[in-house]
Amino acid sequence: MALGSPEAHFLRDLVYQRSSIVLDDTKGYLIETRLDRVARAAGLKDVNQLIHEARAGRMVQEIVEGITTHETSFFRDRHPFDALKEKVIPELLERRQGRRLHIWSAACSSGQEPYSIALTLREAFPQLDASRAHILATDLSEAILDTAREGRFKQMEINRGLPARLATQYFQREGMYWRAKPVLRELIEFKAMNLAEAWSLYPRPDIVFLRNVLIYFDVPTRKRILDTVAKNMAPDGVLFLGAAESTLNVDDRWVTEKHGPARYYRLPQQEKR
Amino acid sequence: MKAIVVDDSRAMRAIIKRALIAEGFEVCEAGNGQEALDELNKNGAPDLALVDWNMPVMTGFEFIQEVRALKQFDSMSIMMVTTETESSQVEAALEAGANEYVMKPFTPDVLQDKLLMLGLAR
């Protein structure tokens, strides 16, 4: 799809209106590849035919989901999971005194992030069963949530980031797929949610994973999302962003804390509500 | 760091070798488990062995069993790199003494990731 073409403009506007996600011109090839997949899945000839459908108001949700869903891997960037295991969870558990721990994986995509959190809990905190820990995993895309909820991963996905021992212990081969065992699945609840729209969460999450999400939004939307996160999370809760993201110049109330190479954010105590 | 790539396919050895060199490894090759064992006995163990499962003369699985029975190569990490993808096979390889397992086909970033897990990445 030619940059600057009417089709490219139409798609950019459509995706922005529906998801507040800004598509920049460098992503042309990626967008075309993803749309090609959407077109084929719908039995259409090519991307042009798909855009024709979208102009008539059809296939819009499929297009937005196809473009905004990104690939990920188990234990992506590693360090946040080390921080979770070694510092963040032990500290919160001490303060919570037995109260259920709530973790939110926002924009969970095909589920590698919430399953990595569940694996961390199972391995390092076996005492935290489903009655003591809850992972809420949300994404814009209903289609991707269906896949994530099933906990089925392709071999290529299992290869990526997941130590072999954890693969055999917590996943079961089902034909071409590896499926997460109930001991992981029971910790996670999957729900559709558009971060760019109005939302609220209860119970308040103690830990928020909002990684590699803000980069897709424009600055006013980033501000709004971070503000809503601040209002919704536990007052002493912890926020993880992507390795290349920061609250700096977006919402400067957040204080950066470090554990090894991992960085995470907290609101100062006077922000308590 | 040093590595040995053990695979009966020359093309596969070349692919893995290229990926390892990009990660800063000095790499030697062997066409089956026996050749690899001979190389270890002659020149000592490298930091890492990447081993295919199905090979003539001595399979990768047999190689792992032989190596782990000899205590002098304990410091060497072993990564199985194979088209065998049953959960029971992954378990068997780990039990025999493999440290990690890569299912073919794979991309270079998978290998890079596994090196990180083994503490062998740059």
Side-chain angles (χ1 to χ4, degrees):
Chain A
M1 189 185 329
L3 297 176
S5 67
E7 286 77 16
H9 278 300
F10 168 72
L11 276 175
R12 193 175 311 158
D13 289 349
L14 182 74
V15 171
Y16 185 75
Q17 279 165 19
R18 296 298 178 116
S19 65
S20 296
I21 287 172
V22 184
L23 295 175
D24 70 54
D25 289 340
T26 58
K27 298 199 178 83
Y29 171 75
L30 186 73
I31 291 164
E32 193 154 1
T33 313
R34 288 178 178 183
L35 286 183
D36 195 51
R37 222 178 289 156
V38 175
R40 281 161 200 266
L44 299 171
K45 198 171 70 169
D46 55 20
V47 175
N48 286 333
Q49 208 180 345
L50 182 66
I51 290 171
H52 180 78
E53 289 292 305
R55 285 190 191 277
R58 294 183 292 266
M59 297 295 295
V60 172
Q61 184 67 9
E62 287 84 350
I63 288 176
V64 173
E65 289 185 357
I67 288 180
T68 57
T69 302
H70 40 90
E71 282 181 24
T72 179
S73 71
F74 286 97
F75 296 103
R76 184 173 178 184
D77 300 330
R78 233 143 250 289
H79 308 305
F81 298 95
D82 292 340
L84 207 57
K85 179 173 69 184
E86 293 159 11
K87 182 105 192 289
V88 173
I89 292 181
E91 276 183 5
L92 282 169
L93 287 181
E94 209 177 298
R95 266 183 259 143
R96 295 294 183 270
Q97 300 287 328
R99 186 173 74 66
R100 199 180 188 203
L101 193 67
H102 292 277
I103 304 173
W104 176 33
S105 166
C108 68
S109 194
S110 41
Q112 280 89 337
E113 183 173 89
Y115 283 104
S116 300
I117 297 170
L119 283 162
T120 306
L121 291 179
R122 283 294 181 224
E123 283 285 292
F125 308 95
Q127 76 277 21
L128 296 180
D129 59 13
S131 72
R132 293 199 53 205
H134 171 251
I135 302 165
L136 172 69
T138 65
D139 200 275
L140 176 69
S141 162
E142 291 275 6
I144 203 88
L145 281 172
D146 286 342
T147 314
R149 197 175 285 120
E150 284 293 300
R152 274 199 187 84
F153 295 93
K154 292 183 213 116
Q155 186 179 297
M156 281 299 283
E157 294 169 321
I158 287 290
N159 247 348
R160 192 161 284 148
L162 189 62
R165 184 184 67 76
L166 298 185
T168 59
Q169 193 173 337
Y170 293 99
F171 293 79
Q172 204 171 330
R173 263 302 279 273
E174 282 187 5
M176 297 291 287
Y177 296 91
W178 290 68
R179 187 168 191 212
K181 290 183 180 173
V183 73
L184 290 185
R185 281 188 280 133
E186 70 188 19
L187 288 173
I188 314 170
E189 178 194 356
F190 290 92
K191 237 158 96 176
M193 179 166 158
N194 185 345
L195 287 169
E197 288 173 357
W199 52 267
S200 65
L201 286 179
Y202 192 82
R204 293 172 182 275
D206 301 294
I207 299 166
V208 177
F209 274 68
L210 184 72
R211 303 192 305 151
N212 310 300
V213 182
L214 293 178
I215 40 168
Y216 289 97
F217 296 105
D218 58 17
V219 174
T221 313
R222 285 181 204 178
K223 278 187 199 291
R224 204 171 64 236
I225 292 173
L226 274 182
D227 188 51
T228 318
V229 169
K231 287 192 175 108
N232 276 274
M233 71 191 285
D236 59 347
V238 162
L239 166 71
F240 285 95
L241 297 177
E245 296 171 315
S246 159
T247 55
L248 208 69
N249 301 326
V250 182
D251 184 342
D252 291 333
R253 286 175 299 169
W254 298 85
V255 177
T256 311
E257 293 185 17
K258 283 184 184 170
H259 179 72
R263 266 181 310 157
Y264 51 89
Y265 305 86
R266 233 190 256 271
L267 287 167
Q269 289 303 298
Q270 62 265 31
E271 288 288 338
K272 267 187 184 172
R273 291 160 300 267
Chain B
M1 268 185 295
K2 290 183 180 170
I4 184 166
V5 179
V6 193
D7 198 307
D8 57 337
S9 154
R10 187 183 300 188
M12 186 49 72
R13 289 203 303 269
I15 291 170
I16 298 174
K17 188 175 174 178
R18 202 178 315 137
L20 286 172
I21 288 172
E23 291 300 312
F25 278 85
E26 200 179 300
V27 183
C28 71
E29 300 177 35
N32 63 58
Q34 187 58 54
E35 276 182 25
L37 208 53
D38 293 345
E39 169 65 25
L40 260 58
N41 281 321
K42 195 171 144 203
N43 294 322
D47 304 282
L48 170 69
L50 295 102
V51 190
D52 183 23
W53 192 304
N54 296 303
M55 292 179 289
V57 188
M58 184 191 282
T59 67
F61 188 75
E62 288 162 347
F63 169 79
I64 296 174
Q65 287 177 316
E66 292 276 342
V67 164
R68 289 306 186 219
L70 303 165
K71 295 289 170 213
Q72 73 259 38
F73 302 134
D74 273 1
S75 64
M76 179 177 75
S77 297
I78 302 178
M79 203 189 292
M80 199 78 167
V81 185
T82 172
T83 49
E84 301 298 333
T85 58
E86 286 306 317
S87 185
S88 57
Q89 291 168 306
V90 182
E91 258 171 57
L94 294 178
E95 252 170 56
N99 302 86
E100 258 308 328
Y101 200 102
V102 174
M103 294 178 273
K104 291 177 187 167
F106 62 93
T107 49
D109 61 313
V110 168
L111 206 57
Q112 204 177 11
D113 214 46
K114 296 281 181 182
L115 292 174
L116 260 172
M117 286 179 205
L118 296 175
L120 293 171
R122 268 197 292 200

